[in-house]
Amino acid sequence: PVIARVIEALLSREHQVTTEIRAETALARIAGGQRFDVIVCDLMMPQMSGFELYERLMAIAPEQARVMLFVTGGAFTAKARAFLDQIPGSVLEKPFDGATLTARVRRMMHG
């Protein structure tokens, strides 16, 4: 929740931001029809990991899965490492600063 609030504060200077701290809630929003330009998601979360969320989104809203930016502190399982190897360029390593985060989101939004 703390990291989510920091990311929200950084991005809300330039963007409309919706924050969820549970992947299940974010998945329900998207399944219900909400769409986002960029989804910033932690890779390792309790209950549902970022890569599990990605896999679920690929099944119901693949265009949303393709706009995910994963943040991670580098604590990888073998499954997480294999997943990240499949989606190069969609990972932002912690710690990161506001300018780097904002630039990555801007780049994802504008190609």
XYZ file of all heavy atoms in Angstrom:
856
model
N 0.807 -1.226 0.000
C 0.000 0.000 0.000
C 0.841 1.277 0.000
O 0.479 2.249 -0.646
C -0.824 -0.116 1.275
C -0.871 -1.585 1.573
C 0.418 -2.146 1.037
N 1.975 1.261 0.701
C 2.829 2.450 0.754
C 3.422 2.736 -0.626
O 3.397 3.874 -1.098
C 3.948 2.278 1.816
C 4.945 3.422 1.739
C 3.353 2.184 3.204
N 3.927 1.704 -1.283
C 4.509 1.891 -2.611
C 3.436 2.341 -3.590
O 3.668 3.224 -4.425
C 5.206 0.603 -3.094
C 6.429 0.332 -2.209
C 5.621 0.703 -4.557
C 7.093 -1.001 -2.445
N 2.247 1.776 -3.480
C 1.139 2.180 -4.359
C 0.820 3.658 -4.185
O 0.592 4.376 -5.165
C -0.096 1.330 -4.094
N 0.822 4.132 -2.956
C 0.538 5.562 -2.709
C 1.639 6.448 -3.263
O 1.366 7.522 -3.803
C 0.327 5.807 -1.218
C -1.025 5.319 -0.719
C -1.351 5.847 0.662
N -0.419 5.408 1.689
C -0.550 4.300 2.416
N -1.576 3.508 2.230
N 0.335 3.985 3.327
N 2.882 6.028 -3.152
C 3.994 6.808 -3.703
C 3.888 6.865 -5.227
O 4.018 7.940 -5.827
C 5.359 6.220 -3.259
C 6.502 6.856 -4.031
C 5.550 6.390 -1.761
N 3.634 5.727 -5.853
C 3.490 5.703 -7.312
C 2.320 6.576 -7.739
O 2.425 7.338 -8.697
C 3.342 4.250 -7.817
C 4.678 3.517 -7.664
C 2.853 4.209 -9.262
C 4.624 2.035 -7.952
N 1.212 6.483 -7.017
C 0.053 7.326 -7.331
C 0.406 8.805 -7.231
O 0.064 9.597 -8.117
C -1.103 7.001 -6.384
C -2.342 7.832 -6.646
C -3.488 7.484 -5.717
O -3.270 6.825 -4.681
O -4.615 7.878 -6.042
N 1.099 9.184 -6.179
C 1.478 10.593 -6.006
C 2.386 11.060 -7.143
O 2.220 12.168 -7.657
C 2.162 10.791 -4.656
N 3.331 10.230 -7.538
C 4.254 10.604 -8.612
C 3.537 10.742 -9.956
O 3.779 11.699 -10.692
C 5.375 9.568 -8.729
C 6.369 9.513 -7.573
C 7.233 8.262 -7.688
C 7.223 10.763 -7.532
N 2.672 9.799 -10.264
C 2.028 9.803 -11.576
C 0.843 10.754 -11.677
O 0.521 11.224 -12.762
C 1.585 8.385 -11.954
C 2.717 7.398 -12.201
C 2.150 6.013 -12.492
C 3.615 7.865 -13.330
N 0.210 11.054 -10.559
C -0.991 11.900 -10.606
C -0.673 13.350 -10.961
O -1.576 14.121 -11.258
C -1.767 11.821 -9.295
O -1.007 12.347 -8.233
N 0.595 13.710 -10.983
C 0.978 15.053 -11.433
C 0.660 15.247 -12.911
O 0.392 16.360 -13.352
C 2.468 15.293 -11.194
C 2.849 15.254 -9.742
C 4.347 15.335 -9.576
N 4.703 15.136 -8.181
C 5.912 14.852 -7.764
N 6.911 14.745 -8.629
N 6.156 14.684 -6.484
N 0.709 14.140 -13.685
C 0.495 14.213 -15.139
C -0.647 13.337 -15.639
O -1.060 13.483 -16.779
C 1.762 13.767 -15.878
C 2.942 14.659 -15.685
C 4.144 14.196 -16.505
O 3.956 13.552 -17.551
O 5.265 14.475 -16.080
N -1.125 12.422 -14.809
C -2.078 11.428 -15.279
C -3.219 11.248 -14.286
O -3.051 11.483 -13.091
C -1.386 10.069 -15.468
C -0.177 10.127 -16.317
N -0.234 10.190 -17.691
C 1.151 10.171 -15.994
C 0.992 10.243 -18.175
N 1.855 10.236 -17.171
N -4.353 10.777 -14.802
C -5.429 10.337 -13.932
C -5.034 8.935 -13.473
O -4.744 8.061 -14.302
C -6.748 10.306 -14.688
C -7.900 9.875 -13.828
C -9.209 9.856 -14.608
O -9.250 10.205 -15.783
N -10.262 9.451 -13.947
N -5.021 8.709 -12.168
C -4.510 7.455 -11.623
C -5.595 6.750 -10.817
O -6.262 7.373 -9.991
C -3.275 7.712 -10.725
C -2.765 6.413 -10.111
C -2.171 8.415 -11.504
N -5.752 5.471 -11.057
C -6.608 4.603 -10.266
C -5.693 3.626 -9.558
O -4.840 3.004 -10.199
C -7.593 3.828 -11.173
O -8.378 4.759 -11.902
C -8.478 2.913 -10.362
N -5.844 3.490 -8.254
C -4.949 2.634 -7.491
C -5.715 1.474 -6.867
O -6.773 1.675 -6.271
C -4.254 3.434 -6.368
O -3.576 4.547 -6.950
C -3.258 2.582 -5.613
N -5.169 0.297 -7.027
C -5.656 -0.901 -6.356
C -4.450 -1.575 -5.721
O -3.385 -1.622 -6.327
C -6.321 -1.871 -7.338
C -7.609 -1.375 -7.923
C -8.724 -1.225 -6.897
O -8.614 -1.766 -5.771
O -9.715 -0.553 -7.224
N -4.630 -2.105 -4.530
C -3.509 -2.789 -3.887
C -3.648 -4.307 -3.967
O -2.740 -5.025 -3.597
C -3.319 -2.341 -2.418
C -4.568 -2.593 -1.603
C -2.896 -0.889 -2.355
C -4.387 -2.383 -0.121
N -4.763 -4.785 -4.500
C -4.973 -6.216 -4.682
C -5.183 -6.518 -6.163
O -6.016 -5.905 -6.825
C -6.187 -6.689 -3.881
C -5.971 -6.512 -2.371
C -7.110 -7.064 -1.537
N -7.253 -8.490 -1.777
C -8.409 -9.059 -2.112
N -9.506 -8.344 -2.242
N -8.470 -10.360 -2.315
N -4.448 -7.475 -6.667
C -4.567 -7.855 -8.073
C -5.978 -8.330 -8.401
O -6.491 -8.054 -9.491
C -3.550 -8.948 -8.400
N -6.616 -9.008 -7.464
C -7.968 -9.507 -7.701
C -8.943 -8.366 -7.975
O -9.829 -8.476 -8.828
C -8.469 -10.327 -6.499
C -7.666 -11.587 -6.236
C -6.459 -11.368 -5.332
O -6.086 -10.201 -5.063
O -5.854 -12.375 -4.925
N -8.800 -7.269 -7.261
C -9.674 -6.111 -7.442
C -9.409 -5.459 -8.791
O -10.342 -5.067 -9.495
C -9.480 -5.104 -6.296
O -9.596 -5.798 -5.045
C -10.514 -4.005 -6.346
N -8.149 -5.345 -9.155
C -7.802 -4.784 -10.467
C -8.359 -5.662 -11.577
O -8.931 -5.159 -12.552
C -6.283 -4.653 -10.591
N -8.231 -6.958 -11.425
C -8.765 -7.893 -12.418
C -10.278 -7.738 -12.555
O -10.807 -7.711 -13.668
C -8.405 -9.329 -12.028
C -8.853 -10.423 -12.981
C -8.206 -10.267 -14.342
C -8.534 -11.790 -12.385
N -10.969 -7.587 -11.434
C -12.426 -7.411 -11.468
C -12.808 -6.127 -12.194
O -13.779 -6.105 -12.956
C -12.983 -7.422 -10.049
N -12.067 -5.055 -11.979
C -12.340 -3.789 -12.683
C -12.230 -3.975 -14.195
O -13.067 -3.521 -14.960
C -11.360 -2.702 -12.249
C -11.651 -2.069 -10.929
C -10.556 -1.019 -10.655
N -10.835 -0.296 -9.450
C -11.439 0.902 -9.415
N -11.803 1.496 -10.524
N -11.652 1.495 -8.277
N -11.166 -4.636 -14.612
C -10.938 -4.830 -16.041
C -11.957 -5.807 -16.614
O -12.500 -5.584 -17.698
C -9.483 -5.264 -16.292
C -8.545 -4.101 -15.904
C -9.270 -5.681 -17.747
C -7.097 -4.475 -15.784
N -12.260 -6.869 -15.890
C -13.287 -7.816 -16.338
C -14.637 -7.117 -16.467
O -15.446 -7.466 -17.326
C -13.385 -8.989 -15.371
N -14.849 -6.094 -15.637
C -16.089 -5.320 -15.680
C -16.119 -4.263 -16.777
O -17.107 -3.556 -16.923
N -15.025 -4.125 -17.523
C -15.026 -3.219 -18.669
C -14.137 -1.998 -18.560
O -13.961 -1.280 -19.544
N -13.560 -1.728 -17.382
C -12.652 -0.582 -17.290
C -11.404 -0.842 -18.109
O -10.929 -1.977 -18.188
C -12.262 -0.304 -15.834
C -13.262 0.558 -15.116
C -12.678 1.053 -13.801
O -12.609 0.325 -12.842
N -12.263 2.304 -13.797
N -10.850 0.212 -18.700
C -9.631 0.093 -19.487
C -8.647 1.158 -19.050
O -9.032 2.254 -18.640
C -9.922 0.222 -20.986
C -10.745 -0.951 -21.534
C -9.958 -2.251 -21.396
N -10.647 -3.417 -21.882
C -11.286 -4.302 -21.113
N -11.377 -4.113 -19.807
N -11.824 -5.374 -21.639
N -7.364 0.828 -19.152
C -6.293 1.702 -18.699
C -5.238 1.822 -19.786
O -4.990 0.882 -20.537
C -5.678 1.143 -17.411
C -6.688 0.988 -16.308
C -7.352 -0.211 -16.103
C -7.009 2.066 -15.504
C -8.300 -0.347 -15.102
C -7.964 1.943 -14.501
C -8.613 0.734 -14.309
N -4.598 2.992 -19.857
C -3.527 3.218 -20.828
C -2.265 2.469 -20.436
O -1.536 1.965 -21.290
C -3.220 4.709 -20.959
C -4.389 5.488 -21.523
O -5.092 4.953 -22.402
O -4.609 6.629 -21.077
N -1.968 2.439 -19.137
C -0.804 1.741 -18.590
C -1.221 1.153 -17.246
O -1.936 1.797 -16.483
C 0.403 2.697 -18.387
C 1.579 1.965 -17.747
C 0.825 3.331 -19.702
N -0.760 -0.049 -16.973
C -1.006 -0.683 -15.677
C 0.353 -0.905 -15.033
O 1.168 -1.685 -15.540
C -1.753 -2.017 -15.837
C -3.124 -1.785 -16.490
C -1.883 -2.722 -14.481
C -3.836 -3.056 -16.896
N 0.619 -0.209 -13.937
C 1.860 -0.386 -13.183
C 1.556 -1.419 -12.109
O 0.635 -1.238 -11.308
C 2.336 0.938 -12.557
C 3.614 0.718 -11.752
C 2.553 1.992 -13.635
N 2.318 -2.499 -12.095
C 2.004 -3.638 -11.239
C 3.276 -4.193 -10.613
O 4.262 -4.412 -11.315
C 1.326 -4.710 -12.094
S 0.839 -6.194 -11.210
N 3.234 -4.448 -9.319
C 4.352 -5.114 -8.672
C 4.377 -6.562 -9.136
O 3.331 -7.177 -9.335
C 4.219 -5.050 -7.151
C 5.549 -5.170 -6.451
O 6.357 -6.043 -6.846
O 5.794 -4.411 -5.513
N 5.546 -7.098 -9.337
C 5.658 -8.471 -9.809
C 5.286 -9.471 -8.708
O 4.564 -10.433 -8.955
C 7.072 -8.750 -10.314
C 7.280 -10.118 -10.942
C 6.427 -10.282 -12.201
C 8.735 -10.336 -11.258
N 5.761 -9.225 -7.506
C 5.527 -10.159 -6.407
C 4.540 -9.541 -5.420
O 4.843 -8.550 -4.767
C 6.847 -10.499 -5.708
C 7.905 -11.076 -6.639
S 7.383 -12.510 -7.590
C 7.349 -13.754 -6.329
N 3.348 -10.143 -5.351
C 2.294 -9.678 -4.442
C 1.673 -10.898 -3.787
O 1.717 -11.995 -4.335
C 1.207 -8.919 -5.222
C 1.692 -7.707 -5.972
S 0.360 -6.913 -6.911
C 0.052 -8.113 -8.206
N 1.059 -10.716 -2.620
C 0.361 -11.848 -2.000
C -0.916 -12.190 -2.773
O -1.414 -11.365 -3.546
C 0.035 -11.336 -0.597
C 0.091 -9.858 -0.694
C 1.031 -9.517 -1.811
N -1.432 -13.350 -2.581
C -2.642 -13.874 -3.218
C -2.468 -14.106 -4.723
O -2.625 -15.218 -5.183
C -3.892 -13.013 -2.979
C -4.460 -13.128 -1.574
C -3.850 -12.138 -0.622
O -3.601 -11.004 -0.991
N -3.597 -12.555 0.609
N -2.184 -13.069 -5.509
C -2.008 -13.217 -6.950
C -0.796 -12.388 -7.367
O -0.762 -11.184 -7.152
C -3.250 -12.731 -7.711
C -3.162 -12.934 -9.216
S -4.509 -12.180 -10.180
C -5.957 -12.873 -9.435
N 0.187 -13.028 -7.972
C 1.394 -12.310 -8.406
C 1.102 -11.488 -9.653
O 0.074 -11.657 -10.304
C 2.512 -13.310 -8.698
O 2.184 -14.064 -9.858
N 2.022 -10.616 -9.983
C 1.883 -9.818 -11.191
C 1.847 -10.659 -12.445
O 1.097 -10.378 -13.377
N 2.652 -11.736 -12.487
C 2.616 -12.559 -13.687
C 1.349 -13.394 -13.754
O 0.844 -13.672 -14.851
C 3.883 -13.399 -13.901
C 4.283 -14.311 -12.795
C 3.764 -15.582 -12.707
C 5.219 -13.903 -11.867
C 4.164 -16.441 -11.703
C 5.632 -14.750 -10.860
C 5.090 -16.031 -10.761
N 0.757 -13.747 -12.612
C -0.545 -14.424 -12.643
C -1.631 -13.464 -13.139
O -2.510 -13.858 -13.919
C -0.899 -14.961 -11.261
C -0.030 -16.128 -10.842
C -0.199 -16.504 -9.388
O -0.311 -15.596 -8.532
O -0.221 -17.709 -9.110
N -1.558 -12.203 -12.707
C -2.501 -11.200 -13.201
C -2.347 -11.052 -14.710
O -3.332 -11.013 -15.448
C -2.288 -9.855 -12.501
C -3.146 -8.694 -13.004
C -4.631 -8.993 -12.854
C -2.761 -7.406 -12.272
N -1.116 -10.992 -15.182
C -0.850 -10.887 -16.612
C -1.493 -12.052 -17.365
O -2.162 -11.864 -18.386
C 0.661 -10.856 -16.846
C 1.077 -10.843 -18.293
C 1.210 -9.647 -18.975
C 1.343 -12.034 -18.970
C 1.599 -9.628 -20.305
C 1.740 -12.019 -20.297
C 1.862 -10.810 -20.960
O 2.240 -10.794 -22.270
N -1.285 -13.265 -16.877
C -1.852 -14.446 -17.535
C -3.377 -14.391 -17.562
O -3.997 -14.716 -18.582
C -1.368 -15.714 -16.833
C 0.103 -15.986 -17.054
C 0.656 -17.098 -16.178
O -0.062 -17.593 -15.268
O 1.818 -17.471 -16.394
N -3.982 -13.952 -16.474
C -5.448 -13.846 -16.425
C -5.932 -12.772 -17.396
O -6.943 -12.947 -18.071
C -5.910 -13.532 -15.004
C -5.515 -14.556 -13.952
C -6.477 -15.708 -13.781
N -7.808 -15.348 -13.383
C -8.243 -15.235 -12.133
N -7.412 -15.434 -11.112
N -9.495 -14.931 -11.886
N -5.202 -11.656 -17.465
C -5.591 -10.592 -18.397
C -5.427 -11.039 -19.847
O -6.235 -10.670 -20.701
C -4.794 -9.317 -18.137
C -5.180 -8.538 -16.890
C -4.255 -7.342 -16.707
C -6.635 -8.099 -16.956
N -4.408 -11.812 -20.140
C -4.235 -12.307 -21.504
C -5.457 -13.110 -21.951
O -5.808 -13.109 -23.125
C -2.969 -13.156 -21.634
C -1.688 -12.339 -21.691
S -1.615 -11.164 -23.073
C -1.386 -12.278 -24.454
N -6.119 -13.749 -21.015
C -7.296 -14.555 -21.339
C -8.550 -13.709 -21.541
O -9.398 -14.051 -22.361
C -7.538 -15.595 -20.248
N -8.669 -12.596 -20.804
C -9.925 -11.826 -20.872
C -9.790 -10.462 -21.538
O -10.769 -9.924 -22.046
C -10.565 -11.647 -19.473
C -9.681 -10.794 -18.564
C -10.889 -12.987 -18.846
C -10.389 -10.282 -17.318
N -8.591 -9.888 -21.487
C -8.368 -8.544 -22.051
C -6.899 -8.419 -22.451
O -6.137 -7.698 -21.810
C -8.757 -7.471 -21.043
N -6.488 -9.105 -23.514
C -5.062 -9.112 -23.872
C -4.481 -7.735 -24.133
O -3.294 -7.507 -23.864
C -5.004 -9.999 -25.120
C -6.402 -10.163 -25.577
C -7.297 -9.905 -24.419
N -5.289 -6.797 -24.612
C -4.775 -5.449 -24.839
C -4.375 -4.782 -23.525
O -3.471 -3.945 -23.501
C -5.800 -4.592 -25.595
C -6.944 -4.048 -24.774
C -8.029 -5.066 -24.361
O -8.000 -6.226 -24.818
O -8.900 -4.684 -23.565
N -4.984 -5.177 -22.426
C -4.621 -4.636 -21.122
C -3.353 -5.303 -20.593
O -2.517 -4.657 -19.981
C -5.782 -4.801 -20.126
C -6.965 -3.913 -20.427
C -6.627 -2.450 -20.230
O -6.774 -1.910 -19.131
N -6.168 -1.795 -21.286
N -3.198 -6.585 -20.839
C -1.976 -7.275 -20.434
C -0.761 -6.663 -21.113
O 0.308 -6.548 -20.519
C -2.076 -8.765 -20.749
N -0.937 -6.232 -22.360
C 0.192 -5.690 -23.122
C 0.615 -4.293 -22.677
O 1.645 -3.802 -23.130
C -0.140 -5.710 -24.611
C -0.135 -7.124 -25.181
C -0.228 -7.136 -26.692
N -1.579 -6.941 -27.184
C -2.478 -7.903 -27.362
N -2.166 -9.144 -27.073
N -3.671 -7.626 -27.824
N -0.149 -3.638 -21.807
C 0.249 -2.306 -21.331
C 0.695 -2.347 -19.872
O 0.712 -1.329 -19.180
C -0.876 -1.251 -21.535
C -1.161 -1.064 -23.013
C -2.135 -1.592 -20.746
N 1.116 -3.521 -19.414
C 1.577 -3.656 -18.025
C 3.058 -3.314 -17.911
O 3.870 -3.749 -18.715
C 1.309 -5.069 -17.506
C -0.168 -5.375 -17.386
S -0.497 -7.033 -16.761
C -0.140 -6.792 -15.002
N 3.363 -2.521 -16.890
C 4.738 -2.210 -16.507
C 4.946 -2.817 -15.126
O 4.274 -2.434 -14.172
C 4.966 -0.697 -16.465
C 6.308 -0.230 -15.918
C 7.463 -0.738 -16.780
C 6.339 1.300 -15.822
N 5.849 -3.778 -15.036
C 6.080 -4.477 -13.779
C 7.216 -3.824 -13.005
O 8.284 -3.581 -13.567
C 6.419 -5.943 -14.042
C 5.266 -6.694 -14.643
C 5.184 -6.853 -16.015
C 4.264 -7.198 -13.845
C 4.116 -7.522 -16.585
C 3.187 -7.863 -14.399
C 3.111 -8.026 -15.770
N 6.983 -3.545 -11.723
C 8.036 -3.054 -10.846
C 8.441 -4.221 -9.950
O 7.607 -5.012 -9.533
C 7.597 -1.818 -10.020
C 7.325 -0.640 -10.923
C 6.392 -2.106 -9.162
N 9.735 -4.322 -9.711
C 10.220 -5.437 -8.919
C 11.485 -5.067 -8.174
O 12.268 -4.250 -8.646
C 10.461 -6.680 -9.801
O 10.889 -7.750 -8.967
C 11.470 -6.420 -10.887
N 11.630 -5.684 -7.030
C 12.829 -5.486 -6.219
C 13.900 -6.502 -6.511
O 14.951 -6.511 -5.870
N 13.648 -7.395 -7.454
C 14.670 -8.343 -7.866
C 14.643 -9.671 -7.146
O 15.470 -10.524 -7.418
N 13.705 -9.907 -6.230
C 13.603 -11.200 -5.559
C 12.780 -12.119 -6.449
O 11.562 -12.087 -6.439
C 12.944 -11.045 -4.193
N 13.449 -12.925 -7.262
C 12.763 -13.710 -8.274
C 12.707 -15.182 -7.926
O 13.681 -15.757 -7.461
C 13.474 -13.595 -9.634
C 13.580 -12.205 -10.159
C 14.813 -11.675 -10.494
C 12.460 -11.411 -10.324
C 14.925 -10.400 -10.999
C 12.552 -10.137 -10.828
C 13.796 -9.628 -11.162
N 11.600 -15.782 -8.240
C 11.516 -17.235 -8.295
C 11.924 -17.617 -9.714
O 12.013 -16.774 -10.601
C 10.077 -17.711 -8.027
O 9.228 -17.196 -9.063
C 9.573 -17.234 -6.665
N 12.139 -18.895 -9.944
C 12.480 -19.348 -11.294
C 11.338 -19.020 -12.258
O 11.570 -18.601 -13.398
C 12.775 -20.842 -11.284
N 10.100 -19.163 -11.791
C 8.931 -18.867 -12.638
C 8.880 -17.373 -12.975
O 8.613 -17.001 -14.114
C 7.654 -19.298 -11.926
C 6.414 -19.134 -12.771
C 5.183 -19.668 -12.051
C 3.949 -19.495 -12.903
N 2.743 -19.985 -12.265
N 9.171 -16.523 -11.987
C 9.167 -15.075 -12.222
C 10.262 -14.685 -13.206
O 10.043 -13.863 -14.100
C 9.318 -14.322 -10.908
N 11.440 -15.261 -13.063
C 12.548 -14.952 -13.973
C 12.192 -15.360 -15.404
O 12.437 -14.621 -16.354
C 13.814 -15.686 -13.511
C 15.018 -15.505 -14.406
C 15.761 -14.201 -14.207
N 15.133 -13.110 -14.904
C 15.334 -11.826 -14.678
N 16.177 -11.422 -13.766
N 14.721 -10.889 -15.333
N 11.615 -16.535 -15.571
C 11.216 -17.007 -16.905
C 10.165 -16.076 -17.502
O 10.213 -15.759 -18.692
C 10.691 -18.437 -16.823
N 9.243 -15.623 -16.682
C 8.212 -14.698 -17.147
C 8.840 -13.395 -17.622
O 8.542 -12.909 -18.710
C 7.205 -14.435 -16.030
C 6.250 -13.323 -16.336
C 5.212 -13.511 -17.232
C 6.386 -12.077 -15.732
C 4.324 -12.480 -17.530
C 5.515 -11.051 -16.016
C 4.479 -11.253 -16.915
N 9.725 -12.812 -16.828
C 10.356 -11.540 -17.190
C 11.200 -11.661 -18.457
O 11.284 -10.717 -19.231
C 11.201 -11.014 -16.031
C 10.422 -10.546 -14.815
C 11.374 -10.131 -13.703
C 9.468 -9.426 -15.163
N 11.790 -12.817 -18.665
C 12.574 -13.036 -19.879
C 11.697 -12.995 -21.134
O 12.176 -12.695 -22.223
C 13.322 -14.366 -19.814
C 14.477 -14.322 -18.825
O 14.895 -13.207 -18.421
O 14.954 -15.415 -18.434
N 10.395 -13.284 -20.974
C 9.472 -13.287 -22.105
C 8.962 -11.896 -22.448
O 8.443 -11.690 -23.536
C 8.261 -14.169 -21.803
C 8.590 -15.620 -21.674
C 7.351 -16.426 -21.263
O 6.250 -15.907 -21.170
N 7.554 -17.698 -21.011
N 9.043 -10.948 -21.509
C 8.484 -9.613 -21.743
C 9.542 -8.533 -21.536
O 9.381 -7.642 -20.711
C 7.257 -9.349 -20.845
C 7.605 -9.552 -19.361
C 6.079 -10.215 -21.230
C 6.618 -8.893 -18.441
N 10.620 -8.555 -22.275
C 11.676 -7.562 -22.081
C 11.157 -6.139 -22.290
O 10.286 -5.895 -23.114
C 12.719 -7.941 -23.135
C 11.962 -8.693 -24.159
C 10.851 -9.401 -23.432
N 11.686 -5.233 -21.495
C 11.305 -3.831 -21.628
C 10.098 -3.436 -20.813
O 9.768 -2.266 -20.728
N 9.438 -4.408 -20.187
C 8.244 -4.102 -19.396
C 8.512 -4.193 -17.906
O 7.607 -4.411 -17.121
C 7.111 -5.064 -19.774
O 6.744 -4.884 -21.108
N 9.774 -4.031 -17.517
C 10.162 -4.167 -16.120
C 10.905 -2.920 -15.668
O 11.755 -2.399 -16.380
C 11.060 -5.409 -15.919
C 11.486 -5.536 -14.465
C 10.353 -6.663 -16.386
N 10.556 -2.452 -14.484
C 11.242 -1.325 -13.856
C 11.744 -1.812 -12.503
O 10.964 -2.192 -11.636
C 10.278 -0.145 -13.687
C 10.843 1.133 -13.094
C 11.985 1.680 -13.941
C 9.735 2.171 -12.957
N 13.062 -1.837 -12.360
C 13.681 -2.344 -11.137
C 13.604 -1.317 -10.010
O 13.858 -0.134 -10.234
C 15.149 -2.695 -11.391
C 15.364 -3.794 -12.405
C 15.174 -5.184 -11.841
O 15.220 -5.353 -10.603
O 14.974 -6.104 -12.653
N 13.253 -1.776 -8.804
C 13.304 -0.938 -7.612
C 14.753 -0.913 -7.141
O 15.449 -1.919 -7.291
C 12.443 -1.526 -6.487
C 10.977 -1.602 -6.769
C 10.287 -2.314 -5.603
C 8.878 -2.709 -5.924
N 8.311 -3.579 -4.898
N 15.220 0.142 -6.556
C 14.513 1.416 -6.396
C 14.571 2.220 -7.693
O 15.520 2.112 -8.467
C 15.292 2.118 -5.291
C 16.690 1.599 -5.410
C 16.551 0.181 -5.934
N 13.549 3.005 -7.914
C 13.506 3.893 -9.066
C 13.052 5.256 -8.583
O 12.473 5.392 -7.514
C 12.568 3.360 -10.163
C 11.195 3.020 -9.669
C 10.222 3.996 -9.544
C 10.882 1.726 -9.323
C 8.960 3.683 -9.081
C 9.615 1.399 -8.865
C 8.654 2.381 -8.735
N 13.360 6.279 -9.370
C 12.949 7.627 -8.986
C 11.717 8.038 -9.791
O 11.328 7.379 -10.754
C 14.089 8.633 -9.139
C 14.624 8.700 -10.561
O 13.843 8.545 -11.513
O 15.833 8.939 -10.712
N 11.125 9.131 -9.380
C 9.906 9.613 -10.020
C 10.093 9.934 -11.486
O 9.216 9.654 -12.310
N 11.231 10.510 -11.836
C 11.474 10.873 -13.234
C 11.551 9.631 -14.114
O 11.017 9.611 -15.227
C 12.760 11.690 -13.348
N 12.188 8.581 -13.615
C 12.294 7.337 -14.385
C 10.923 6.698 -14.560
O 10.562 6.279 -15.657
C 13.261 6.362 -13.691
O 14.539 6.986 -13.567
C 13.391 5.068 -14.471
N 10.155 6.636 -13.494
C 8.807 6.072 -13.566
C 7.948 6.853 -14.547
O 7.304 6.272 -15.431
C 8.152 6.061 -12.186
C 6.685 5.640 -12.147
C 6.509 4.193 -12.585
C 6.108 5.872 -10.756
N 7.943 8.157 -14.414
C 7.130 9.003 -15.288
C 7.544 8.841 -16.748
O 6.694 8.747 -17.635
C 7.238 10.472 -14.839
O 6.810 10.564 -13.481
C 6.372 11.378 -15.689
N 8.841 8.786 -17.003
C 9.333 8.628 -18.373
C 8.906 7.282 -18.960
O 8.507 7.206 -20.123
C 10.849 8.766 -18.416
N 8.980 6.224 -18.160
C 8.575 4.901 -18.645
C 7.084 4.871 -18.968
O 6.668 4.314 -19.981
C 8.904 3.826 -17.612
C 10.371 3.514 -17.477
C 10.983 2.863 -18.711
N 10.398 1.604 -19.057
C 10.737 0.434 -18.533
N 11.698 0.363 -17.638
N 10.135 -0.669 -18.924
N 6.265 5.460 -18.112
C 4.822 5.495 -18.353
C 4.531 6.308 -19.606
O 3.753 5.885 -20.462
C 4.061 6.035 -17.117
C 2.617 6.369 -17.457
C 4.136 5.029 -15.975
N 5.177 7.457 -19.738
C 4.999 8.305 -20.929
C 5.360 7.519 -22.194
O 4.647 7.558 -23.184
C 5.879 9.538 -20.810
C 5.140 10.831 -21.046
C 6.078 12.023 -21.013
N 6.093 12.628 -19.689
C 7.161 12.867 -18.959
N 8.361 12.615 -19.424
N 7.058 13.406 -17.788
N 6.483 6.830 -22.157
C 6.949 6.057 -23.315
C 5.946 4.954 -23.668
O 5.657 4.717 -24.836
C 8.318 5.446 -23.023
C 8.984 4.838 -24.229
C 10.420 4.371 -23.994
N 11.144 5.153 -23.017
C 11.805 4.638 -21.971
N 11.843 3.330 -21.766
N 12.444 5.407 -21.123
N 5.390 4.295 -22.657
C 4.404 3.249 -22.929
C 3.121 3.820 -23.524
O 2.505 3.206 -24.379
C 4.093 2.471 -21.654
C 5.245 1.576 -21.202
S 4.831 0.591 -19.775
C 3.755 -0.645 -20.527
N 2.757 5.009 -23.089
C 1.525 5.625 -23.582
C 1.662 6.110 -25.017
O 0.697 6.131 -25.768
C 1.105 6.784 -22.685
C 0.593 6.341 -21.335
S 0.085 7.720 -20.310
C -1.345 8.283 -21.213
N 2.867 6.532 -25.381
C 3.068 7.163 -26.686
C 3.911 6.327 -27.640
O 4.425 6.848 -28.621
C 3.685 8.551 -26.497
C 2.857 9.437 -25.623
N 1.609 9.902 -25.994
C 3.071 9.901 -24.370
C 1.112 10.629 -25.008
N 1.970 10.641 -24.019
N 4.043 5.060 -27.304
C 4.802 4.180 -28.206
C 6.220 4.380 -28.011
O 7.161 4.033 -28.400
